[in-house]
Amino acid sequence: STYKLTDLLGGSFVTELGAFGLWGETFWSINTGQTNGELTLGMDHTFNNGIYTMIEGFHNSFGADQQHLQSDHYLNYFSGETKSLMQNYLFGMAGKPINNFISTNIMAFGNLDDSSFILAPGLEWEGFEDVIFSVFTGFSFGESESEFGIQDKNFRIRLRAYF
C-alpha cells in the first residue's frame, strides 16, 4: 500500500483577493521521518462578459519523479492509492456560457515532470435542472512514453446528475 499508517497534519483556505478567488489545501505526514504530502493551490476569475477562468497547481510527493518511474507507480495510480502518477501538475480552463443551457470550455491538464499535457475543448448542455450532458475531445502532447503523450487523441461523452 502507498499510504502506511501515519499521522497527518493539514489545512485549507478559501478567500478572495479583489475579483479573484483563491484556495489551497495541503496535508503532510508528521511522524514518519520523511516529508510526504500533497499541496493544491488555485485561482479563478469570472470576467464581465461571462468568461470563467481557473488555474490550479498540484504537488503530490507520493508520486514518482521522472527518473524513478516504475510499474508499481502505475499500479498505485490505477488502483486509486495515489491521486497522480508523478509529482507536479498544472490545470487550467476557460469557459463561456452560450445561453442559459449551453456552455463551451477548453481545459489544459499538464504533467510538469515529463512536460506532457492534454488540451480538451468541450461543450455542455444542461437540459434539465441538475443534469448535464457533456461532449469533450482531447489532444495530447508530449513524448510517446510520457503520461499524456501516450494517449494521442480521445473523445468522451458524459452525463452527470446531481442530487
Side-chain angles (χ1 to χ4, degrees):
S1 174
T2 302
Y3 300 105
K4 296 178 181 167
L5 185 61
T6 186
D7 292 320
L8 301 170
L9 179 64
S12 65
F13 73 92
V14 176
T15 191
E16 291 181 7
L17 182 61
F20 293 87
L22 302 171
W23 63 89
E25 58 186 53
T26 188
F27 75 87
W28 296 93
S29 57
I30 57 175
N31 67 348
T32 63
Q34 298 178 353
T35 303
N36 291 318
E38 295 180 359
L39 172 66
T40 302
L41 295 172
M43 179 174 68
D44 67 355
H45 178 72
T46 302
F47 293 92
N48 291 335
N49 62 4
I51 293 176
Y52 172 76
T53 58
M54 181 183 76
I55 189 164
E56 186 171 87
F58 176 69
H59 172 76
N60 176 12
S61 68
F62 296 105
D65 61 50
Q66 190 171 4
Q67 291 77 27
H68 300 100
L69 182 62
Q70 299 174 355
S71 60
D72 288 352
H73 293 107
Y74 285 95
L75 294 174
N76 290 335
Y77 176 57
F78 292 138
S79 70
E81 289 188 47
T82 184
K83 293 179 186 171
S84 62
L85 182 61
M86 292 189 180
Q87 294 184 352
N88 300 295
Y89 292 85
L90 189 62
F91 172 77
M93 68 93 57
K96 178 161 181 22
I98 295 173
N99 58 37
N100 289 338
F101 305 103
I102 299 172
S103 63
T104 184
N105 59 54
I106 188 161
M107 296 180 282
F109 191 78
N111 179 327
L112 302 178
D113 296 314
D114 69 8
S115 300
S116 65
F117 69 97
I118 291 178
L119 190 61
L123 190 65
E124 292 185 337
W125 175 58
E126 189 170 353
F128 307 98
E129 186 175 345
D130 300 327
V131 177
I132 300 174
F133 177 75
S134 305
V135 177
F136 295 95
T137 187
F139 303 95
S140 299
F141 301 90
E143 298 294 325
S144 60
E145 306 84 34
S146 64
E147 181 175 3
F148 300 125
I150 196 170
Q151 297 181 36
D152 196 27
K153 298 174 186 76
N154 61 65
F155 181 77
R156 179 176 45 177
I157 297 173
R158 178 173 61 193
L159 182 64
R160 291 186 299 183
Y162 299 95
F163 300 95

